[in-house]
Amino acid sequence: MSWDHPFADLEFSRSDEGSPRTSVPHVPDDPAALRRMFSQYPTGVAAICAHVDGEAHGMVVTSFTVGASFDPPLVLLAAQRSSRTWPLLARAERLGISVLAEANREVVSRLASRTADRFAGVAVARSAEGAVFVQNARLWLDCVLRDQLELGDHELAVLEVRGASSLATAEPLVYHDGRVR
């Protein structure tokens, strides 16, 4: 089943009580269709990077949320359980989260590569604790892994923010409709 039911096609009608009523199509069974459906929600693009076992590792996620808690400061990310990179990163003493900016557009495909050197041509800096940060990002968060939970085909990671900096003048990079914009 493909997902091709835009919200604008939903029919709204008044019930006997006067409130609008509609029926929403079932969620698609096909993972690719579900991914297209979820891509309707614009979200930021974050690079999760760390130095582990003597080398830099990194990945890109669009399932990243800030402000899960303010006391203590917590953020969330979801990584596919099939990821080969997340288990390495989860072992790191510190994780560098770089919320990417428009200037980082090319970094996305590099860090998402399954075969190439992910850091070739990517300007990064490393903290003493091993967090790796991408240059020219909009926001940098120095985090520790606080908890993990298996949810469906993903791992939900709760990260505690220990340090932060930002480049507020940088234009954000957004994932929407299956594209980085």
Side-chain angles (χ1 to χ4, degrees):
M1 171 183 175
S2 68
W3 186 77
D4 58 359
H5 301 283
F7 186 77
D9 285 352
L10 290 179
E11 292 185 23
F12 289 87
S13 60
R14 295 274 175 205
S15 69
D16 293 338
E17 298 87 36
S19 61
R21 297 280 173 127
T22 190
S23 65
V24 178
H26 288 283
V27 68
D29 294 333
D30 175 32
L34 190 59
R35 183 181 302 267
R36 284 191 305 278
M37 183 182 76
F38 284 163
S39 77
Q40 299 303 303
Y41 179 70
T43 184
V45 182
I48 316 301
C49 305
H51 207 257
V52 183
D53 298 334
E55 79 181 89
H57 296 277
M59 62 189 269
V60 174
V61 298
T62 57
S63 53
F64 176 71
T65 303
V66 298
S69 170
F70 295 109
D71 187 16
L74 299 176
V75 297
L76 306 173
L77 75 87
Q80 288 183 335
R81 289 184 34 201
S82 62
S83 170
R84 295 176 303 194
T85 306
W86 174 245
L88 293 168
L89 291 171
R91 295 188 358 238
E93 180 181 340
R94 291 287 179 101
L95 294 166
I97 311 294
S98 301
V99 176
L100 301 178
E102 186 177 32
N104 305 123
R105 182 180 296 267
E106 292 182 21
V107 171
V108 174
S109 59
R110 288 191 184 125
L111 286 178
S113 174
R114 293 181 184 254
T115 57
D117 176 0
R118 291 182 177 178
F119 292 95
V122 178
V124 296
R126 183 177 132 194
S127 74
E129 296 84 9
V132 175
F133 301 97
V134 176
Q135 183 179 7
N136 297 320
R138 185 164 168 88
L139 174 66
W140 298 278
L141 303 173
D142 182 4
C143 299
V144 295
L145 179 62
R146 183 143 173 200
D147 202 2
Q148 283 190 102
L149 176 65
E150 288 185 15
L151 291 175
D153 60 357
H154 279 65
E155 293 277 337
L156 179 66
V158 179
L159 307 175
E160 184 172 341
V161 179
R162 299 284 177 91
S165 187
S166 67
L167 181 59
T169 58
E171 289 296 320
L173 192 61
V174 176
Y175 177 77
H176 179 245
D177 227 2
R179 295 189 322 223
V180 174
R181 303 168 188 234

